[in-house]
């Protein structure tokens, strides 16, 4: 591309990079514990419905906005329409800051667990011991901060390297590897004695468990997991060339992300029940359940280390997209160098993550609106900012730039896709109304 912003090597390169952004801790850490807290299969079904209606439409909307404008989220709204629209981009940048601050803390845990894999972690199957170990680690005032720092340094270093080189190459190897190891783990988990109860919990819906909170959590999980509502896909879409098939890309990314989350649940849920853990245990669920699974595998240490390495890389391919949103804005609009922007904002985000980490230990008594700091950051960004961003992004495509968006999605009429009409209807009415309704009823 002649504007010097860099671009993806190919359509596959984009799909891999965007799927790399989508697939991460959201699938393997957040999705299983959300499912566990929200009653299992009923949550899964609501989640799937939301992903393949609102989620996929918002995905295409973001990619379309990005490629049409070839800019960061703020600049994109400014060049395509102007007015107050760039505020949506600013909200996205704020969400990027907040999400990355606690994302990096949790990603740091995966680094620690790589090391723990070699020191006996994969030999323990007692839920009490694993729970205590996890609790002791995350509540330590120093250790998790060191790993948080290491993770931010890695993220900053990759973002300095630019979009097409590093990101694409990593994703090409990582995705298939992650997929394969999940299959191995599923084979182990579902054959554990007592796994059947977990499968039933995960796959046999009990609709009496549905309420406004479950639906709100499913929506926020969909936006978080698909990297939507804050302009990550606008930013990645802005590096796309004009002949890419956007509907196909949106569909592929949505499908891959959902598949990985579903598979992660298929590992965690059976294991949770087989070992007698509490499915509603919260954010520690993956970290206390998986080691128990490894302990029942030949070569458990090897599988544990391999798994946490893959999870770390998956987290990195997501965190770089979070930081990229912030960096792209300051590079495009404020003329900062990529390097300066990455280092300055990486540092600020690191600092913002410190209270999140401490809220699990020494600051655990400090609560705002009944939530610890990490929980609060997660709630504000995932449950409020991302869905709100989703309302405005779909409204923008549905009403403000309708014809331009259709032309962009079809490469000026060169390609067709069966769900074009549906997409516009969802962007115009269904998504904004449904999201607003879910937000309001979920918050009350
Ligand atoms: N989708 C990522 C994950 O599931 C997190 C993320 C959210 C990344 C929003 C970018 C934007 O881990």
């Amino acid at each position: 591309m002649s504007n010097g912003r860099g671009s993806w090597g190919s359509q596959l390169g984009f799909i891999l990079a965007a799927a790399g952004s989508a697939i991460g801790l959201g699938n393997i850490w957040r999705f299983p514990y959300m499912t566990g807290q929200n009653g299992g299969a009923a949550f899964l079904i609501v989640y799937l419905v939301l992903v393949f209606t609102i989620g996929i439409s918002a995905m295409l909307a973001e990619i379309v906005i990005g490629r049409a404008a070839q800019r960061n989220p703020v600049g994109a709204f400014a060049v395509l329409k102007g007015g107050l629209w760039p505020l949506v981009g600013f909200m996205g940048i704020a969400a990027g800051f907040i999400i990355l601050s606690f994302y990096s803390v949790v990603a740091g845990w995966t680094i620690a667990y790589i090391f723990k894999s070699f020191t006996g972690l994969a030999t323990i199957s007692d839920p009490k011991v694993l729970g205590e170990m996890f609790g002791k680690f995350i509540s330590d005032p120093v250790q998790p901060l060191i790993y948080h720092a290491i993770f931010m340094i890695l993220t900053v270093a990759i973002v300095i390297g630019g979009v097409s080189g590093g990101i694409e190459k990593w994703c090409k190897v990582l995705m298939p590897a992650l997929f394969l190891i999940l299959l191995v783990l599923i084979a182990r988990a579902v054959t554990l004695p007592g796994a059947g109860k977990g499968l039933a919990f995960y796959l046999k819906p009990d609709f009496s468990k549905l309420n406004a909170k479950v639906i709100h959590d499913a929506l926020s999980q969909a936006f978080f997991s698909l990297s939507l509502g804050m302009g990550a896909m606008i930013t990645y879409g802005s590096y796309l060339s004009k002949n890419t098939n956007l509907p196909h890309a949106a569909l592929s990314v949505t499908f891959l992300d959902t598949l990985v989350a579903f598979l992660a649940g298929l590992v965690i849920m059976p294991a949770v029940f087989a070992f007698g853990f509490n499915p509603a245990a919260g954010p520690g669920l993956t970290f206390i359940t998986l080691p128990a699974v490894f302990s029942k595998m030949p070569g458990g240490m090897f599988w544990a280390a391999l798994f946490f390495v893959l999870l770390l890389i998956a987290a990195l391919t997501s965190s770089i997209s979070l930081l990229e949103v912030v960096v792209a804005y300051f590079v495009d609009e404020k003329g900062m160098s990529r390097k300066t922007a990455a280092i300055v904002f990486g540092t600020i985000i690191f600092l913002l993550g410190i209270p999140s980490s401490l809220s699990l230990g020494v600051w655990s008594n400090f609560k705002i609106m009944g939530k610890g700091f990490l929980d609060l950051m997660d709630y504000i960004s995932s449950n409020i900012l991302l869905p709100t961003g989703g309302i405005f992004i779909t409204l923008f495509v549905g009403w403000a730039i309708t014809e331009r968006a259709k032309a962009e999605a079809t490469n000026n009429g060169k390609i067709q896709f069966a769900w074009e009409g549906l997409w516009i209807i969802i962007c115009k009415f269904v998504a904004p109304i449904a999201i607003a309704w879910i937000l309001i009823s979920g918050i009350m």
Side-chain angles (χ1 to χ4, degrees):
M1 215 166 288
S2 53
N3 55 11
R5 296 178 78 253
S7 68
W8 305 110
S10 61
Q11 164 130 357
L12 182 65
F14 169 76
I15 292 177
L16 288 171
S21 165
I23 297 170
L25 298 171
N27 308 59
I28 288 162
W29 160 71
R30 203 174 186 279
F31 175 77
Y33 92 74
M34 281 284 157
T35 307
Q37 279 182 335
N38 286 296
F43 176 86
L44 174 65
I45 289 178
V46 176
Y47 178 75
L48 291 176
V49 169
L50 291 174
V51 162
F52 286 103
T53 50
I54 295 175
I56 192 168
S57 301
M59 173 75 73
L60 181 57
E62 283 205 27
I63 299 174
V64 157
I65 293 171
R67 195 182 61 175
Q70 311 268 306
R71 294 277 204 98
N72 66 88
V74 176
F77 285 103
V79 295
L80 293 177
K81 195 77 190 181
L84 290 176
W85 286 106
L87 288 177
V88 183
F90 279 114
M91 196 172 72
I93 290 175
F97 260 87
I98 300 176
I99 295 177
L100 186 51
S101 74
F102 70 83
Y103 200 86
S104 171
V105 170
V106 179
W109 302 349
T110 68
I111 304 180
Y113 268 64
I114 296 173
F115 294 118
K116 287 184 198 295
S117 303
F118 295 107
T119 57
L121 177 76
T123 57
I124 311 167
S125 61
D126 182 347
K128 240 186 97 209
V129 178
L130 286 167
E132 274 164 14
M133 218 178 106
F134 177 74
K136 195 161 157 258
F137 168 67
I138 60 165
S139 59
D140 189 280
V142 184
Q143 288 259 338
L145 292 180
I146 297 175
Y147 294 111
H148 166 45
I150 297 175
F151 185 80
M152 270 320 288
I153 291 170
L154 289 171
T155 303
V156 167
I158 303 176
V159 168
I160 291 175
V163 290
S164 48
I167 301 178
E168 265 187 71
K169 263 186 246 142
W170 284 60
C171 294
K172 268 184 201 161
V173 189
L174 163 82
M175 304 292 224
L178 189 66
F179 185 74
L180 288 179
I181 197 170
L182 279 173
L183 294 183
V184 172
L185 293 180
I186 290 170
R188 176 62 279 201
V190 299
T191 53
L192 289 164
K197 263 191 259 147
L199 284 175
F201 175 80
Y202 188 41
L203 300 174
K204 261 176 69 193
D206 169 0
F207 287 111
S208 69
K209 301 237 172 81
L210 277 189
N211 57 40
K213 176 187 176 283
V214 172
I215 298 173
H216 187 196
D217 277 355
L219 181 75
S220 79
Q221 177 59 27
F223 274 88
F224 187 92
S225 189
L226 294 169
S227 304
L228 294 176
M230 54 155 284
M233 292 300 166
I234 295 180
T235 309
Y236 272 23
S238 76
Y239 304 120
L240 267 173
S241 72
K242 286 292 176 194
N243 48 28
T244 312
N245 183 328
L246 302 187
H248 174 256
L251 193 68
S252 310
V253 174
T254 305
F255 175 75
L256 286 173
D257 184 71
T258 309
L259 182 65
V260 171
F262 178 73
L263 295 181
L266 218 42
V267 178
I268 306 287
M269 291 305 151
V272 162
F273 283 80
F275 291 104
F277 296 130
N278 173 9
L285 195 66
T286 294
F287 288 88
I288 53 183
T289 309
L290 280 176
V293 177
F294 298 129
S295 76
K296 299 285 183 220
M297 293 169 75
M301 187 168 96
F302 162 79
W303 291 110
L306 181 64
F307 179 83
F308 285 115
V309 168
L310 289 175
L311 185 54
L312 168 65
I313 304 175
L316 271 172
T317 56
S318 301
S319 66
I320 51 186
S321 73
L322 286 159
L323 187 58
E324 181 65 29
V325 170
V326 179
V327 167
Y329 167 71
F330 285 96
V331 170
D332 284 355
E333 309 292 322
K334 302 281 164 211
M336 251 189 209
S337 81
R338 179 165 267 283
K339 190 169 168 188
T340 312
I343 294 175
V344 169
F345 297 105
T347 308
I348 296 175
I349 292 169
F350 166 75
L351 296 174
L352 184 63
I354 294 177
S356 279
S357 184
L358 296 180
S359 74
L360 302 168
V362 285
W363 288 0
S364 59
N365 290 329
F366 176 65
K367 297 239 185 312
I368 308 168
M369 292 155 52
K371 292 182 194 299
F373 198 79
L374 192 153
D375 276 357
L376 184 73
M377 292 296 106
D378 186 355
Y379 186 81
I380 291 177
S381 52
S382 318
N383 285 50
I384 298 176
L385 293 180
L386 297 186
T388 307
I391 294 179
F392 290 109
I393 286 165
T394 49
L395 281 176
F396 188 68
V397 160
W399 299 97
I401 58 157
T402 328
E403 290 315 312
R404 176 80 195 266
K406 282 191 203 160
E408 195 69 36
T410 57
N411 293 353
N412 291 318
K414 282 205 269 315
I415 54 167
Q416 286 177 336
F417 61 111
W419 45 292
E420 183 180 348
L422 202 59
W423 175 55
I424 293 294
I425 292 175
I426 292 180
C427 285
K428 267 190 164 51
F429 307 106
V430 181
I433 295 173
I435 298 171
W437 180 74
I438 294 172
L439 263 178
I440 292 167
S441 50
I443 291 171
M444 297 194 317

